[in-house]
């Protein structure tokens, strides 16, 4: 049981590390930070234009904001296009090799789940930690870029 959990942990670690690497390669940090900063400044400008009731300025600023949001959404979509198929390959190909008995469950700390769901749970929490680290790293970069 412990060996299988360790193997699941290693596979999850590989998946999350690979996902993090892909995220770094797909997300152009400078482009991402610039788009985020520009969206923030545009939202302030839009609020000012709304206070002045300047509809043409609002429309112009909204178009530019949508362009920057599109850049952010495109990078997230590309990330998902790469990472989700890898997850499915692990789920349907690698995990069944790890434990051919599909009904095998692991009971740990009073939680009795199929080994695939342990993979899902471990990967979720590892991914959450990696996302927090990635966000904190980007937040520091964004503060540094907006200060300069």
């Amino acid at each position: 049981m412990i060996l299988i959990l360790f193997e699941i942990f290693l596979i999850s670690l590989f998946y999350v590390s690979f996902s993090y690497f892909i995220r770094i390669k797909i997300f152009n940090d400078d482009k991402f930070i610039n788009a985020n900063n520009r969206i923030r400044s545009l939202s302030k400008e839009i609020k000012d234009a709304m206070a002045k009731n300047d509809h043409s300025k609002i429309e112009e600023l909204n178009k530019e904001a949508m362009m920057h949001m599109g850049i952010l959404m495109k990078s997230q979509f590309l990330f998902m296009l790469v990472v989700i198929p890898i997850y499915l390959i692990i789920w349907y190909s690698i995990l069944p090799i790890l434990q051919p008995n599909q009904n095998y469950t692991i009971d740990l700390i009073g939680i009795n789940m199929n080994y695939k769901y342990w993979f899902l749970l471990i990967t979720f929490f590892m991914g959450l930690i990696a996302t927090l680290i990635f966000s904190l790293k980007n937040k520091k970069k964004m503060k540094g870029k907006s200060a300069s």
Side-chain angles (χ1 to χ4, degrees):
M1 175 184 75
I2 298 297
L3 180 62
I4 290 175
L5 276 176
F6 182 70
E7 290 170 347
I8 290 171
F9 178 81
L10 288 178
I11 292 170
S12 296
L13 184 64
F14 164 77
Y15 174 74
V16 170
S17 301
F18 182 75
S19 299
Y20 187 74
F21 175 76
I22 294 296
R23 178 177 261 176
I24 289 170
K25 290 297 178 188
I26 288 178
F27 277 100
N28 181 343
D29 282 344
D30 292 332
K31 197 175 192 180
F32 179 78
I33 291 168
N34 291 337
N36 251 342
N37 288 337
R38 185 63 184 141
I39 289 171
R40 278 196 194 116
S41 66
L42 284 171
S43 67
K44 290 176 186 172
E45 290 178 36
I46 290 170
K47 283 181 185 177
D48 292 341
M50 288 175 84
K52 295 175 184 174
N53 208 13
D54 187 356
H55 294 291
S56 61
K57 182 78 171 170
I58 293 170
E59 191 174 313
E60 177 187 321
L61 293 172
N62 272 333
K63 281 183 184 178
E64 187 177 348
M66 289 299 162
M67 180 189 73
H68 290 291
M69 284 184 208
I71 291 169
L72 297 177
M73 289 172 55
K74 179 182 173 189
S75 62
Q76 291 172 348
F77 182 72
L78 288 173
F79 174 71
M80 288 189 323
L81 275 178
V82 172
V83 172
I84 290 175
I86 293 168
Y87 188 88
L88 293 174
I89 289 170
I90 292 171
W91 184 268
Y92 289 109
S93 299
I94 296 173
L95 289 178
I97 291 170
L98 177 71
Q99 185 50 253
N101 179 2
Q102 295 293 318
N103 297 323
Y104 182 79
T105 60
I106 300 170
D107 187 20
L108 184 69
I109 326 169
I111 302 171
N112 189 3
M113 289 192 299
N114 183 298
Y115 67 97
K116 284 185 173 182
Y117 295 109
W118 278 106
F119 171 71
L120 181 68
L121 187 69
I122 292 169
T123 304
F124 172 76
F125 283 109
M126 285 181 149
L128 186 64
I129 292 167
T131 301
L132 288 173
I133 291 169
F134 186 74
S135 296
L136 290 174
K137 181 182 138 203
N138 272 345
K139 195 176 245 186
K140 286 181 183 177
K141 275 188 177 181
M142 284 173 63
K143 281 185 180 179
K145 289 254 181 189
S146 62
S148 57

